[in-house]
Amino acid sequence: MSQTNQATPSRTGVTVVIAGEAGQGIQTVEYLLAKILKSEGYHIFASKEYMSRIRGGANSTAIRVSSARVAAYAAGIDLLVALDREAPAHLADRLSPATIIVGDAAGLGLDRPVLDIPFAAIAAAAGNKLFANSVASGAVAGLFQVDFAGVERAIAAYFRGKPQAMVDQNIAAARTGYEAGRELAAAGRAGLTPPDKDAAVAGDPIINGSEALALGAVAGGCNFIASYPMSPGTGVLIYLSQFAADFGIVAEQAEDEIAAINMGLGAWYAGARAMVSTSGGGFALMTEAVSLAGMIESPMVIHIAGRPGPATGLPTRTEQGDLELALYAGHGEFPRLILAPRSIDAAFYRTAEAFQLADRFQVPVFILTDQFLVDSFLNLPELDPAGLENEPRIVATPADYRRYELTPDGLSPRGIPGHGAGLVGVDSDEHDEAGHITEDLELRVRMVDKRLRKLELLRTDLVPPLFHGPADYRTLVVGWGSTYPAIREALAGLDRPDVAQLHLEQVYPLPPSAVAYLQKAERIILVENNATGQFGKLLRQETGRAASDRILKYNGMPFAVEELAERFAALLTADTAAEGSAV
């Protein structure tokens, strides 16, 4: 059993939501508040939902401010900062009578109390209506009654490199908002109770999922990335491009996805450690090259950040809808490995391991994430690369080197051109041990068997499943990938002694130790962020165990802690009632 390094989740805290239209600087408020509140000693977790447009629409970002580490999306809103008239209506189903709304009361036109802070008017007085986001940041800081020095530092850092006059104007705008918020709090009108602080938080870096995945790639020895931008997978390419010189990485924006993955295969052939980062639609174009990787037994690391399809679908929303695409992509039969990080910190470790595993087994390794995971961010302790292998498994080739030497375990020594005396031949056609094309049908069978023997090597606990709960559980809640934090927090709130959680990050091939957990359960509740229960079908195919109940969501939003808690409670209550009737 693998252990998680995350603390037991807590629901204590406050959820602050900033909402408005694209172009109003919502991401600026998100960034500033995260920095400000974290520097004050609060744990923070932020996630966003936004429309696929440059201007207009209805977007929001939610920041959970807590006394303990949190990593899940919560739908409830304690404090809404409404930057436009549409914001309250857009979030109506997440508001409660207790929700505090802050904004321009006259402009919002609500028939419920609003803490009146005219963001636009204050911003205009400070010099530009675009400073409204700084006013909003200052107002929230005032409501939390934090030290304004932290606000100044955050704004100065955010606008570093801009004219000093602009920095000063934003600070002035923020100060006016801060004083307004502080006066409301001091007068007892806000009704906001900030959570307890944790002094240990101050030194934590803030990191999002894309950055964690990119840093994991660096830790895993990645020195080449080629991709064609497609959200939400683009963040990895952007981050590695920005720091390519620091990390010693070649970062290439290819002309299309087909070129990108073939560049990656070429890089591995030459001795580099390469990856591509894309989303479902982009990966669909890469599938022929996945087969090429299978035939030439090349390592390859492929990151797919899930978004709802088919086709363009909802390009800025989240979904776990590409598991079967990764599982069956490419023609012919060849082994592959699929990993799905459970959280932002796990994205770092699983990505680093992906390079190790791809190199070790000479197969394509998929990393499945989704928009929710890559776009969310939180404070974390320093990520620790100690123990992560990043040395290439390359041999110096002898003169009689055979790239596809038939071996008992299917693993042939991997040489690269120019490293030794041997010739490193590869061919997309069926080939002999030296890599020369062949139509020897007996040899064809031996080569297929050799490649497939590696699948048996992959059927081990390369990434063991996570188990939480009592040893004598009756119900097992099973999930994969980014659903972990929400399931974990929801179950912790229920405190059921007969319910346990099993979570898988190695989703194919399944780790053998997962089977015992599944077989022991009387009842399995499956949680997936897609419409057809793709992982449930894989579980049944691989183990024979079918889920008793499925909780599926596919409207483009992640699972909220509250909705999972309600669904679990309803299912478990029904189960208890049925038992009572039987008795």
Side-chain angles (χ1 to χ4, degrees), residues 220-240:
C222 174
N223 51 16
F224 183 90
I225 180 170
S227 294
Y228 185 79
M230 174 173 270
S231 73
T234 312
V236 177
L237 174 64
I238 291 175
Y239 189 84
L240 290 178

Side-chain angles (χ1 to χ4, degrees), residues 34-405:
K35 290 283 187 182
I36 293 165
L37 295 170
K38 197 271 295 184
S39 67
E40 279 288 316
Y42 296 114
H43 293 276
I44 59 99
F45 171 78
S47 58
K48 57 176 64 70
E49 55 95 18
Y50 55 101
M51 294 181 174
S52 178
R53 58 179 67 184
I54 303 300
R55 290 285 185 272
N59 306 327
S60 71
T61 184
I63 305 175
R64 296 186 67 184
V65 186
S66 176
S67 56
R69 296 194 184 282
V70 286
Y73 165 70
I77 300 175
D78 299 293
L79 174 63
L80 170 63
V81 180
L83 296 179
D84 73 348
R85 190 182 184 91
E86 303 302 320
H90 174 61
L91 299 168
D93 62 346
R94 295 172 57 188
L95 301 179
S96 74
T99 301
I100 302 163
I101 300 179
V102 182
D104 184 340
L108 293 178
L110 298 176
D111 58 357
R112 58 178 291 173
V114 173
L115 295 181
D116 185 23
I117 300 179
F119 299 134
I122 295 173
N128 194 319
K129 65 179 183 181
L130 296 178
F131 299 158
N133 46 25
S134 292
V135 180
S137 302
V140 175
L143 290 169
F144 275 81
Q145 303 186 63
V146 306
D147 187 343
F148 187 73
V151 181
E152 285 189 279
R153 286 194 298 271
I155 291 177
Y158 185 78
F159 291 105
R160 184 180 295 118
K162 301 293 184 182
Q164 188 59 43
M166 176 188 291
V167 177
D168 293 341
Q169 287 175 309
N170 274 281
I171 290 175
R175 181 177 288 282
T176 305
Y178 174 82
E179 296 298 342
R182 192 172 178 83
E183 288 175 10
L184 290 168
R189 295 183 55 200
L192 185 68
T193 304
D196 295 335
K197 297 180 181 178
D198 179 358
V201 170
D204 285 357
I206 293 176
I207 188 170
N208 69 28
S210 290
E211 293 167 346
L213 199 144
L215 291 172
V218 175
C222 174
N223 51 16
F224 183 90
I225 180 170
S227 294
Y228 185 79
M230 174 173 270
S231 73
T234 312
V236 177
L237 174 64
I238 291 175
Y239 189 84
L240 290 178
S241 299
Q242 289 175 329
F243 298 100
D246 301 289
F247 294 142
I249 288 178
V250 174
E252 174 72 13
Q253 179 177 320
E255 65 266 35
D256 57 37
E257 287 84 353
I258 299 171
I261 191 169
N262 281 300
M263 287 179 184
L265 293 177
W268 277 102
Y269 174 70
R273 282 192 165 189
M275 73 179 301
V276 293
S277 182
T278 186
S279 298
F283 177 68
L285 298 172
M286 297 181 176
T287 55
E288 185 177 18
V290 175
S291 285
L292 177 59
M295 177 54 92
I296 66 175
E297 300 186 50
S298 173
M300 189 63 212
V301 176
I302 303 163
H303 170 228
I304 305 175
R307 69 188 207 184
T312 307
L314 297 172
T316 60
R317 305 288 178 171
T318 198
E319 194 165 280
Q320 292 180 309
D322 293 329
L323 172 57
E324 291 180 338
L325 177 64
L327 184 61
Y328 299 114
H331 52 286
E333 299 167 301
F334 56 94
R336 68 194 69 196
L337 179 65
I338 303 176
L339 306 177
R342 69 182 186 277
S343 59
I344 291 175
D345 59 331
F348 172 82
Y349 296 105
R350 298 294 88 77
T351 303
E353 292 163 0
F355 284 87
Q356 302 171 26
L357 296 169
D359 203 342
R360 176 182 170 190
F361 296 108
Q362 303 173 31
V363 296
V365 175
F366 295 86
I367 305 167
L368 296 188
T369 65
D370 48 52
Q371 180 271 331
F372 169 69
L373 191 148
V374 298
D375 280 350
S376 298
F377 64 82
L378 76 175
N379 64 289
L380 277 175
E382 294 285 352
L383 298 169
D384 184 6
L388 296 174
E389 177 192 334
N390 60 16
E391 291 298 321
R393 293 172 177 255
I394 295 171
V395 300
T397 57
D400 60 348
Y401 175 69
R402 292 173 297 167
R403 172 68 187 89
Y404 303 111
E405 180 182 344

Side-chain angles (χ1 to χ4, degrees), residues 454-470:
K454 291 191 287 186
L455 182 58
E456 298 310 310
L457 299 179
L458 297 173
R459 292 189 188 281
T460 56
D461 281 45
L462 299 171
V463 182
L466 286 163
F467 175 82
H468 300 285

